[in-house]
Amino acid sequence: MKTDENIPNLRHLRMFMSTCELGSINAAAGAMHVAQPAITQAISKLEARFGSPLLSRHREGSLPTPAGRILHGRCDRFFRQMHAAIMLAPERIHAPGSQQAATLAGRLTVSQISALIGVANHGSLWLAAHNEGVSVSAMHRAAKEIENNLGYAVFSKARNRLNVNHSGAELARRLQIALREIAVAEEEIRSLSGQPDGKILIGTLPMIRSALLGLTINRTLAQAPGLRFEVLEGVYASMLRALRNGEIDMLIGALRQPSPANDVTERLLFTDPYAIIARKGHPLAGTEASAAELLQYEWVVQKQGTPVRAALEAIFAGTGLSPHVAVETSSMSLTRSILLDSDRLAILSRRQITIEERAGLLTALPLSIASTGRRIGLTTRQDWQPAGSHLIFLENFHSVLIENVGALEE
C-alpha cells in the first residue's frame, strides 16, 4: 500500500479537531471559513475510514464519542509534533515560530509529506516514486510543492539525484513519528470492541535473553489474541535509529552510558553479570585462570565501544597486554557455535547460556570479573504515549522479568 493511502486527509482531520474543540459543526465551519456541508462530509469520510462514529449530535452541538476522544487526543499529538518538526529547520537562519509553523503545516498535503518521507527512506526521488507506485513527475511535483509551502529547502541535488538534505532528513524523521499517532489511533479505536487490537513494534539487541521476550509475547497473545508483534533485531546503532524514526516503539537490550541520543528515555530493568564462557571440557574449565593464561586463547567478542568489549579490556587493564580477538560479532548464535567447536573464549552473561549450561555444552569459568555486567533496560522515545496494547505487553514483560530474573532495579 502506498504511504499516502495510510494517511487520512489532513484537512479532514483539522475539521474534525475544530468541531471537537468548538462544540459544533456550524462553529467549526465558521472558524475554518467553509460551508457546513463540507465539515459534515469530511467527518463522514473519517468515520468510514476509522469504522466508528466519531461525533454524537445533540441539540446543543456535537460531542466526540469514545472513538472521537481517542482520535482527538492522537490528532492533537500528531499536529503538535508536526508543528514542532517544522519549527526545527537546521538550515534556516530564522526558524519559524509556533504560529508560523502552524500556518506552514496547514499548507502541507498528504502527497507532499509522502514524497518527503519516501525520498528520505529510499535515498532518491526515483526510487521513492518506484516504491510508492507513483510517477516520477508526480513525486517531483509534490517534492517541489512541499519546499514552496515550507519556504526552505528540504532536498538537495547531487549527480542528477534528488535526495533530502539535513533539514529534510530531520523533518521526515519527525513526521514519521507523528504519523505513528494516527496508526495507533486506528488500533485503539478498533480495541473499543473489547478485544485489544494493534501491532506492537519491538526492537531487540542481539545478545538479549530472547527467552524472556518469547515468554512475554506468548503470555500477551494468550491474554489478547488480536494483537500482532513485529520484532526487529540489530546492532545498537541501527535499532536506536529505528526507534528515533518511529519504526519501532521500544528497544529492549543493553543500555549505553551515557545515552547517545537526548530524545530517548532509558529505564534500567536489571543488571546481568558477565562471565567468561568456554566449551565444556575446555582446558581452563573449572580453573581460576590468570590473565596470562587467558591471553593464550583467542576471543570472540563484540566490536569496540560496546559494554562487553569494555569488560574484556578491563580484565587485562594494567598488564600492558591485549587479548587476541579473533572474531568480532554481535550474533549470539555465531558466538555459541564458535565456542562449541574450539577453545576460544567469550564474555557473556551467565543467563545467556542457561540452556547450553544445562545441556553440558558450555560452562562459565569460576573467575570473577570486575565489571558490573550488562545493564539491561527498556528504551523509548521521550514523547511516546503507549496505547492500551503496549501497556498489556509491558505489564506482562514486568511479570516475566520478576519471575525469571528477580527484583528489578529502580
Side-chain angles (χ1 to χ4, degrees):
M1 181 180 287
K2 293 159 50 179
T3 300
D4 56 9
E5 292 177 354
N6 292 317
I7 311 173
N9 185 294
L10 301 186
R11 185 165 173 78
H12 292 173
L13 291 178
R14 292 188 183 96
M15 290 178 176
F16 166 72
M17 294 282 289
S18 182
T19 302
C20 290
E21 289 157 9
L22 297 177
S24 78
I25 291 177
N26 287 334
M32 298 192 71
H33 308 291
V34 298
Q36 181 268 338
I39 302 283
T40 301
Q41 184 179 40
I43 292 173
S44 294
K45 288 184 177 180
L46 288 175
E47 290 179 329
R49 178 191 176 87
F50 288 97
S52 179
L54 299 174
L55 293 174
S56 58
R57 280 76 169 181
H58 304 279
R59 184 178 303 174
E60 300 80 10
S62 298
L63 297 174
T65 62
R69 288 194 292 273
I70 289 173
L71 182 60
H72 180 272
R74 291 291 176 179
C75 280
D76 180 62
R77 287 176 55 81
F78 165 70
F79 283 116
R80 282 194 286 109
Q81 291 175 28
M82 188 176 176
H83 297 168
I86 293 173
M87 289 171 65
L88 292 174
E91 296 180 9
R92 283 195 67 177
I93 298 176
H94 301 292
S98 179
Q99 188 60 46
Q100 186 184 5
T103 301
L104 295 176
R107 300 174 185 170
L108 301 188
T109 64
V110 169
S111 61
Q112 293 166 19
I113 293 174
S114 297
L116 176 65
I117 293 175
V119 174
N121 287 343
H122 298 296
S124 77
L125 186 142
W126 186 88
L127 287 174
H130 176 74
N131 283 276
E132 295 294 321
V134 299
S135 67
V136 174
S137 60
M139 182 70 71
H140 191 275
R141 182 169 57 253
K144 186 175 180 179
E145 288 172 350
I146 192 171
E147 285 194 326
N148 290 338
N149 285 337
L150 290 172
Y152 59 89
V154 292
F155 298 100
S156 61
K157 191 173 184 179
R159 299 177 183 174
N160 295 320
R161 184 173 180 173
L162 191 70
N163 202 347
V164 292
N165 59 21
H166 181 57
S167 291
E170 182 63 13
L171 179 59
R173 183 184 75 81
R174 289 173 171 267
L175 288 176
Q176 283 189 113
I177 294 173
L179 289 171
R180 179 75 180 127
E181 300 291 340
I182 305 301
V184 172
E186 294 189 74
E187 296 171 355
E188 290 182 312
I189 289 172
R190 290 197 300 268
S191 297
L192 288 174
S193 63
Q195 185 61 256
D197 187 294
K199 180 183 287 187
I200 299 177
L201 308 176
I202 302 173
T204 68
L205 302 181
M207 293 297 186
I208 185 180
R209 291 176 63 203
S210 56
L212 297 176
L213 184 56
L215 285 170
T216 305
I217 290 175
N218 284 335
R219 186 172 298 185
T220 302
L221 289 176
Q223 183 178 348
L227 296 181
R228 301 174 306 285
F229 284 87
E230 183 174 319
V231 182
L232 304 179
E233 181 179 299
V235 297
Y236 184 80
S238 65
M239 288 297 96
L240 180 65
R241 184 167 56 252
L243 178 67
R244 298 182 68 240
N245 287 349
E247 298 167 30
I248 56 175
D249 296 321
M250 63 189 81
L251 172 58
I252 301 171
L255 303 178
R256 296 296 189 266
Q257 286 186 303
S259 170
N262 59 8
D263 56 355
V264 298
T265 298
E266 294 183 333
R267 180 194 168 196
L268 175 63
L269 298 173
F270 62 92
T271 300
D272 210 3
Y274 287 126
I276 298 177
I277 307 301
R279 65 173 177 82
K280 192 75 170 180
H282 189 282
L284 296 183
T287 69
E288 295 186 15
S290 65
E293 290 174 309
L294 294 174
L295 283 169
Q296 297 175 21
Y297 297 90
E298 295 180 345
W299 291 77
V300 183
V301 292
Q302 295 185 47
K303 65 180 181 179
Q304 292 281 355
T306 58
V308 69
R309 187 62 172 266
L312 173 63
E313 292 167 352
I315 294 174
F316 302 97
T319 66
L321 302 172
S322 298
H324 180 192
V325 176
V327 181
E328 286 188 348
T329 181
S330 58
S331 169
M332 181 61 193
S333 59
L334 178 60
T335 300
R336 182 190 300 112
S337 66
I338 291 174
L339 294 184
L340 290 173
D341 195 41
S342 73
D343 284 340
R344 293 181 177 88
L345 303 172
I347 290 188
L348 300 169
S349 100
R350 188 76 172 264
R351 294 190 177 107
Q352 284 178 293
I353 63 161
T354 301
I355 296 175
E356 291 82 359
E357 198 167 20
R358 288 175 181 169
L361 300 174
L362 296 178
T363 186
L365 304 189
L367 182 68
S368 62
I369 298 179
S371 171
T372 56
R374 300 189 312 157
R375 301 173 69 254
I376 305 300
L378 180 73
T379 305
T380 59
R381 293 184 296 278
Q382 281 187 350
D383 61 351
W384 182 55
Q385 180 175 307
S389 57
H390 297 120
L391 296 177
I392 294 172
F393 168 79
L394 290 172
E395 182 178 349
N396 284 322
F397 187 46
H398 189 273
S399 299
V400 167
L401 288 177
I402 290 178
E403 293 167 9
N404 291 272
V405 177
L408 300 185
E409 302 184 34
E410 296 297 331

